Amino acid sequence: MIVRKGEGHRPGYAAAAVVFAIGMAGTTLPTPLYGLYQQKIGFSELMVTVVFAVYAVAVIAVLLLVGNYSDDVGRRPVLLCAMALSAASAGCFLLETGLPLLFAGRLLSGFAAGLLSGAATAAIIELAGPGQRARAGFAATAANMGGLGCGPLLSGILAQYAARPLELVFWVHIGLVAVAAVIIRFLPETVEHPKRLPPLKPRGVFVPNEVKGVFAPASVAAFAGFSLLGLFTALAPSFVARTLDVHNLAVTGAVVFSVFLASTVGQSLSDRIGSRRALPAGCAVLIVGLLLVAWSLIAESLAVLVAGALCGGAGQGLAFRAALSLVSGAAPAAHRGGTISAFFVVAYTGISLPVVGVGAAARLWDLRTAGLVFAGCVMLLAACAGVYSALRAPAEPTRARDESSERG
């Protein structure tokens, strides 16, 4: 059983959201730096996507094997383990001498993100007080997307304007991880009677019966949205530098940041629209964003690419927040961590497989053609999820309705 413990004035869901954001920022720090690593080590665009995909595969492996572990051992130990892995990932990049340590760093980063995705989201929601669950749900998704966006922005600025572009940002991140560890130390534990080192009981992708009605459209929408995020995180820097001839790393980081910023803004609109309407609406806006991205590839326009990032990110955020709210709201408390982890398995499959496909296709054709094919496929997925959720609108979670009553 999972409950929120009243522990005086100890930190609440906002502090847990800060921890989540710091951890997720570490996963995207290398994004603007891939071009520098290519010059230093020498590898192709396909290898960039493979290095990126190693991270996503690690996330999925953790979610499948220990996605429900925080339901048993508690949120705080899992969060501390994630921070340790995040620091170790930064250490690999600091010691980097070639591709092996790049792969190791991305692998450890994926392990950290996998632990954070389920445990941090559940902790934030469970630390919310009466009438705060809606705000906590936004805090969880905003911390996720905001952290992912701040990573490339921070590393791009430091790499462009400070000394030691491949080192300083990782030292900064290690310092932030230390701050996050202190915050975790003072967070209330939300799992009642946590077990001490219980045996692992992998459940694979576990979706309780109560959630199955909303899980299909929610997870397909998440897959499509995360595919867009994967494209910007893995390949937008190459497109900006090689096709648009823009070599300022701060600009590259800002372009990637824009899609995550727009995602956070889109998430903030979900409550006003309502989860049932926000899911198909988000898919529609995502499709418009993908059309703009496709146009930017044809016109070779940075302005249109940024417009696509903003529009697509807003649609992704709107749909993602609605999807996560519906899934977490329908999940029984005892299985919330595992259910959220299953949802993120689908999302992170979307952030990896299509991007590797684009990298492979770019070797057969070129980056522009591969991007256009990618955009068309993801638009089709988003359209399917949007139409399905519009025609068979999932019911609002009981908890969400109760909270709306409380606020009213």
Side-chain angles (χ1 to χ4, degrees):
M1 178 182 179
I2 302 173
V3 297
R4 182 178 184 268
K5 295 183 179 180
E7 300 192 26
H9 297 287
R10 298 185 72 182
Y13 73 86
V18 170
V19 171
F20 197 7
I22 289 173
M24 297 311 293
T27 68
T28 52
L29 288 177
T31 295
L33 308 179
Y34 285 135
L36 298 180
Y37 286 122
Q38 282 182 286
Q39 294 173 16
K40 180 181 178 182
I41 303 172
F43 50 84
S44 66
E45 296 300 331
L46 177 60
M47 188 56 66
V48 171
T49 64
V50 172
V51 170
F52 178 78
V54 164
Y55 156 79
V57 170
V59 174
I60 294 169
V62 169
L63 292 174
L64 290 174
L65 295 175
V66 294
N68 60 313
Y69 201 55
S70 71
D71 291 333
D72 296 326
V73 76
R75 311 299 183 205
R76 288 171 59 199
V78 173
L79 293 178
L80 284 170
C81 182
M83 289 300 107
L85 290 168
S86 188
S89 171
C92 287
F93 282 99
L94 286 170
L95 298 172
E96 175 271 319
T97 55
L99 276 174
L101 278 176
L102 281 187
F103 278 114
R106 294 303 287 158
L107 193 69
L108 291 170
S109 184
F111 290 156
L115 292 177
L116 283 168
S117 296
T121 301
I124 292 168
I125 292 172
E126 291 160 0
L127 285 168
Q132 293 183 322
R133 191 176 296 275
R135 288 194 294 273
F138 171 66
T141 53
N144 191 347
M145 294 297 113
L148 289 169
C150 286
L153 182 64
L154 174 64
S155 62
I157 291 173
L158 291 179
Q160 184 66 38
Y161 300 114
R164 298 182 179 277
L166 296 179
E167 297 176 15
L168 179 60
V169 66
F170 296 107
W171 283 117
V172 170
H173 181 61
I174 289 174
L176 292 173
V177 166
V179 173
V182 173
I183 295 174
I184 295 169
R185 169 65 181 80
F186 292 99
L187 284 178
E189 178 55 71
T190 58
V191 174
E192 191 176 51
H193 308 305
K195 301 172 184 177
R196 184 178 177 83
L197 297 178
L200 294 177
K201 297 178 182 178
R203 297 177 185 173
V205 178
F206 176 72
V207 181
N209 291 330
E210 300 94 321
V211 189
K212 290 181 178 178
V214 302
F215 193 85
S219 59
V220 172
F223 182 99
F226 270 59
S227 296
L228 176 72
L229 299 183
L231 179 72
F232 273 88
T233 308
L235 291 174
S238 295
F239 178 73
V240 169
R242 298 191 178 188
T243 303
L244 303 182
D245 199 29
V246 176
H247 300 281
N248 187 299
L249 297 180
V251 172
T252 299
V255 169
V256 179
F257 171 74
S258 67
V259 72
F260 291 102
L261 175 64
S263 174
T264 305
V265 173
Q267 292 166 32
S268 70
L269 301 175
S270 181
D271 278 345
R272 300 179 186 180
I273 300 174
S275 296
R276 291 194 303 172
R277 289 191 297 248
L279 190 56
C283 289
V285 177
L286 174 61
I287 290 171
V288 175
L290 286 162
L291 285 170
L292 288 171
V293 170
W295 180 19
S296 76
L297 295 173
I298 296 171
E300 297 185 5
S301 168
L302 179 61
V304 177
L305 179 65
V306 172
L310 292 173
C311 187
Q316 185 276 336
L318 189 61
F320 175 67
R321 170 83 190 283
L324 182 59
S325 296
L326 290 167
V327 169
S328 63
H335 300 295
R336 187 173 296 123
T339 304
I340 293 171
S341 294
F343 173 77
F344 276 105
V345 165
V346 180
Y348 275 98
T349 301
I351 213 172
S352 57
L353 290 183
V355 171
V356 175
V358 172
R363 299 196 70 178
L364 296 175
W365 307 312
D366 53 58
L367 189 57
R368 180 186 290 105
T369 304
L372 290 172
V373 173
F374 165 89
C377 292
V378 177
M379 278 190 281
L380 180 60
L381 278 177
C384 290
V387 171
Y388 182 91
S389 58
L391 295 178
R392 301 183 60 180
E396 294 278 1
T398 302
R399 285 189 294 275
R401 291 197 300 267
D402 291 343
E403 286 177 18
S404 297
S405 301
E406 289 178 15
R407 288 195 300 272

